[in-house]
Amino acid sequence: MARPDATVEAIAAAAYRVPTDRPESDGTLSWDSTTLVAVEVAGGGARGFGYTYADASAAGLAAGLLGDAVRGADALDPPAAHRALRRAIRNAGAGGAGGMALSAVDVALWDLKGKLLGLPLAVLIGRAHAAVPVYGSGGFCSYGERELEEQLGEWAAQGFPAVKMKVGRDARADPDRVRIARAAIGGAGLFVDANGAYTRKQALALADVFAGEGVTWLEEPVSSDDLAGLRLVRDRAPAGMDVAAGEYGHSPAYFRRMLEAGAVDVLQADLTRCGGVTGFLAAAAVAAAFAAPLSSHCAPALHAAPLCAAETAAHAEWFHDHVRIERMLLDGAPEPSDGVLAPQRDRPGFGLELKRADAERYRVG
């Protein structure tokens, strides 16, 4: 039984930059590494673990500014600590690296509470769903035809109900790439993600082409900042094609504005950016208020339990980069079975621990 007076005593953070297994790009960005920022919160004789995917500078914000804000806080009351974090990050910026650092600390705080009470997060916050479908996500613009076929085809063969590929780097080549993907995955669902690369008219034209290959999900066809453009594409997209966005959201107000604008059919939220567990549950409440399906973005090991707690949960993203890192550097990372992902219920908190010895070679801060 946790002590009723357990407080947050110390916060530490470190950054680990892991090279990709091959060059990767989407419609607007190229990269060759992914950085995991890990946070540890100590209190009441236990240690909570959290992380985000962000620039290494987020580690300094987590251990410094945010650590100061919650040191001495009630370790059994993450929402109260979250309010203190929000106040502290105001001038440093609630979005971007600041919001990602806050998210990692919030995750660690919930993990700490679970460990102090001896409860898995899925039990601590409850479940509206026992499990959620997953879709394989990768198919980068930098991949050749064989790489695209092998990666997407493997997920389809494993029983994933859908897979997602990147588009937008070369709008003229995208129809052929989508045809290649369709041939590789058979009858599995096919999603595409432009990462905001298209103009409005490009997005409308390509939506019709993609529909011919059975594409049912068009993510960020235009910039997420262009709510009117998203609404235009959503209104004119072929029947049966969902327009999705929201991965950069950092506050409930962001998600509310997107849904009030009628910009998306499916709302995305990423707890490594939107405020951790506390922020993700708030996003889920906004989605439920608008009767909007909610899909989690990336970091599948962290989203399993919070997404299952969301009333309108649609599916979780099984993102290649993050799956690879979580398998490499985390003990306890969940795996999908028969195309669905269920939260673990055998360990307290998230049930995740950093493999320190394995991670050390990638440490950059």
Side-chain angles (χ1 to χ4, degrees):
M1 180 67 68
R3 300 198 319 262
D5 61 344
T7 60
V8 175
E9 298 162 7
I11 294 184
Y16 305 91
R17 184 175 298 126
V18 181
T20 56
D21 54 1
R22 47 194 155 179
E24 295 177 354
S25 69
D26 57 31
T28 55
L29 189 68
S30 300
W31 64 96
D32 59 10
S33 65
T34 299
T35 302
L36 181 143
V37 175
V39 172
E40 190 174 73
V41 177
R47 293 181 180 273
F49 169 66
Y51 62 92
T52 185
Y53 293 99
D55 185 81
S57 62
L61 286 169
L65 177 68
L66 297 177
D68 292 342
V70 296
R71 194 171 291 107
D74 185 350
L76 297 179
D77 195 356
H82 186 93
R83 293 183 65 194
L85 293 171
R86 286 285 184 193
R87 288 192 297 268
I89 206 67
R90 188 195 70 180
N91 290 347
M100 294 175 188
L102 183 153
S103 299
V105 175
D106 183 273
V107 167
L109 288 166
W110 278 98
D111 189 55
L112 176 62
K113 179 176 181 178
K115 288 173 177 174
L116 288 170
L117 296 177
L119 295 174
L121 187 69
V123 175
L124 199 61
I125 63 176
R127 294 185 301 167
H129 311 276
V132 290
V134 294
Y135 67 86
S137 175
F140 300 106
C141 294
S142 52
Y143 281 7
E145 180 177 335
R146 178 171 294 182
E147 292 171 305
L148 187 66
E149 290 173 333
E150 289 178 350
Q151 186 184 70
L152 301 186
E154 182 177 347
W155 283 322
Q158 290 174 9
F160 283 30
V163 301
K164 187 173 79 179
M165 61 182 290
K166 299 293 189 181
V167 294
R169 177 68 53 168
D170 182 351
R172 293 171 299 180
D174 283 338
D176 283 339
R177 294 182 66 251
V178 169
R179 292 185 190 102
I180 290 167
R182 168 52 67 199
I185 66 172
L190 181 56
F191 299 172
V192 299
D193 180 4
N195 288 97
Y198 294 142
T199 66
R200 295 180 183 185
K201 290 187 177 180
Q202 278 180 319
L204 289 171
L206 286 167
D208 287 331
V209 175
F210 294 158
E213 297 299 330
V215 171
T216 58
W217 169 281
L218 180 56
E219 184 175 332
E220 284 193 300
V222 298
S223 169
S224 288
D225 294 329
D226 183 9
L227 296 182
L230 286 171
R231 175 63 186 266
L232 175 70
V233 177
R234 181 194 178 201
D235 285 346
R236 297 190 184 181
M241 181 178 288
D242 288 331
V243 171
E247 67 187 65
Y248 302 110
H250 61 272
S251 69
Y254 179 104
F255 300 115
R256 175 175 56 80
R257 287 192 293 268
M258 184 165 276
L259 292 173
E260 283 179 338
V264 296
D265 296 291
V266 180
L267 184 69
Q268 294 175 287
D270 184 337
L271 68 73
T272 72
R273 296 174 175 174
C274 74
V277 176
T278 306
F280 188 85
L281 294 179
V286 174
F290 283 84
L294 178 68
S295 181
S296 64
H297 175 263
C298 292
L302 289 182
H303 280 108
L307 185 60
C308 282
E311 179 183 342
T312 62
H315 37 52
E317 181 173 17
W318 192 252
F319 182 56
H320 171 69
D321 281 0
H322 295 177
V323 169
R324 178 171 167 265
I325 290 172
E326 289 166 359
R327 285 172 171 167
M328 289 170 58
L329 302 186
L330 302 183
D331 178 53
E335 293 286 341
S337 177
D338 297 324
V340 300
L341 186 67
Q344 67 81 28
R345 302 186 68 190
D346 300 324
R347 301 183 181 187
F350 279 89
L352 301 171
E353 297 295 339
L354 182 68
K355 299 177 183 176
R356 297 181 185 278
D358 293 340
E360 193 59 33
R361 62 182 293 200
Y362 301 111
R363 185 162 178 165
V364 293

